[in-house]
Amino acid sequence: MVDRAAPLNVADIGCGTGASTILLARLLNARITAVDFLQDFLDVLEERARSIGVADRVSTLACSMDNLPFADEELDIIWSEGAIYNIGFQKGVADWRRYLKAGGLLVASEITWTTDSRPPELQNHWDNEYPEIDVASAKIRVLEKHGYSPVGYFVLPEHCWLDQYYRPMQARFEDFLKRNDNSEEAHAIVDAEQREIDLYETYKAHISYGVYIARKLG
Ligand SMILES: C[S@@+](CC[C@H](N)C(=O)[O-])C[C@H]1O[C@@H](n2cnc3c(N)ncnc32)[C@H](O)[C@@H]1O
């Protein structure tokens, strides 16, 4: 769906240290604006882009995703992995639309129920953490209601949660606690993360990240 040779204008919103930005810069002939509100993450991203040789195609922007400086219809692609929840899926989908050219693509991942009903323990946890959590059909409906035509949806596999996310996080718990003098607050953070991991491992048939791809209608 994307012309890899075209000089596309892409924004990676909530880019973190640039896992997706770097991949996109390698795959596309695009100018990519990597947006995050934490300058420390953008510094890491810039260093990675330099060392991989794509710095000429990547620029960083320290900015909140609810106050973006893009012009109307400036972007060919908006990419946002694991980040739109910070302002809510519906708000992000609605607010960011105007930055896309007609026919431009939105690619956003969002936590998603993968079954129609869930054990109450899991449901209650996520209703508290992120009340917008829903099934894929509801997320796709949000896209349709806000002037997009859905073109694809897939679910991130289990290894993304365990090998790429939870296991590396767990490996850092001890160091995190040490750096924070074993404070009560630090323990509370670790305990909350461990509880989420336990819930995931018990109920992983019911929950994942969905990746939603949609085209802006003209
Ligand atoms: C879970 S990380 C995902 C990072 C990256 N997209 C990835 O997949 O590796 C979410 C990112 O959103 C950023 N973020 C959170 N709230 C934000 C806001 N209001 N504006 C811009 N960035 C924000 C965080 O700093 C963090 O880097």
Side-chain angles (χ1 to χ4, degrees):
M1 280 177 284
V2 172
D3 180 355
R4 291 192 180 195
L8 300 172
N9 202 358
V10 179
D12 181 3
I13 302 178
C15 60
T17 54
S20 320
T21 313
I22 301 290
L23 192 64
L24 291 169
R26 289 167 65 173
L27 292 175
L28 303 175
N29 174 33
R31 281 192 300 117
I32 305 172
T33 306
V35 184
D36 205 283
F37 70 174
L38 294 182
Q39 184 61 49
D40 286 356
F41 286 176
L42 297 178
D43 292 345
V44 173
L45 187 157
E46 280 173 13
E47 182 47 41
R48 291 174 76 188
R50 263 194 301 275
S51 71
I52 288 164
V54 295
D56 56 329
R57 273 178 264 156
V58 173
S59 53
T60 59
L61 178 65
C63 178
S64 181
M65 62 175 75
D66 59 3
N67 186 28
L68 296 166
F70 299 115
D72 287 0
E73 314 223 330
E74 182 181 337
L75 301 170
D76 296 285
I77 300 174
I78 291 178
W79 198 277
S80 185
E81 283 195 61
I84 197 170
Y85 71 89
N86 287 293
I87 54 169
F89 186 79
Q90 175 145 325
K91 179 171 167 55
V93 160
D95 289 1
W96 298 348
R97 182 180 185 277
R98 67 189 181 88
Y99 307 128
L100 278 175
K101 294 175 186 167
L105 284 178
L106 171 69
V107 181
S109 66
E110 166 84 337
I111 197 155
T112 298
W113 294 129
T114 53
T115 54
D116 193 39
S117 63
R118 277 76 49 183
E121 189 186 14
L122 182 70
Q123 180 85 45
N124 293 340
H125 172 82
W126 281 103
D127 281 348
N128 280 330
E129 289 295 319
Y130 186 57
E132 248 189 88
I133 189 168
D134 215 330
V135 291
S137 52
K139 296 289 167 189
I140 289 171
R141 188 73 195 112
V142 169
L143 290 163
E144 290 166 340
K145 276 211 242 167
H146 288 87
Y148 298 82
S149 175
V151 292
Y153 156 71
F154 62 92
V155 178
L156 293 187
E158 187 179 322
H159 72 84
C160 292
W161 286 90
L162 294 178
D163 303 341
Q164 308 292 322
Y165 182 43
Y166 286 145
R167 296 293 177 249
M169 187 204 290
Q170 283 175 311
R172 295 166 65 187
F173 281 167
E174 209 178 299
D175 179 55
F176 173 77
L177 290 172
K178 231 185 263 165
R179 274 191 289 121
N180 288 282
D181 301 323
N182 274 297
S183 69
E184 224 174 275
E185 291 90 338
H187 273 283
I189 290 171
V190 166
D191 290 350
E193 295 295 351
Q194 186 57 52
R195 168 151 167 71
E196 184 187 306
I197 296 168
D198 293 343
L199 279 172
Y200 176 77
E201 297 203 80
T202 309
Y203 298 120
K204 59 192 169 207
H206 299 277
I207 189 165
S208 191
Y209 248 76
V211 180
Y212 298 86
I213 306 160
R215 198 177 285 290
K216 177 180 171 176
L217 295 168

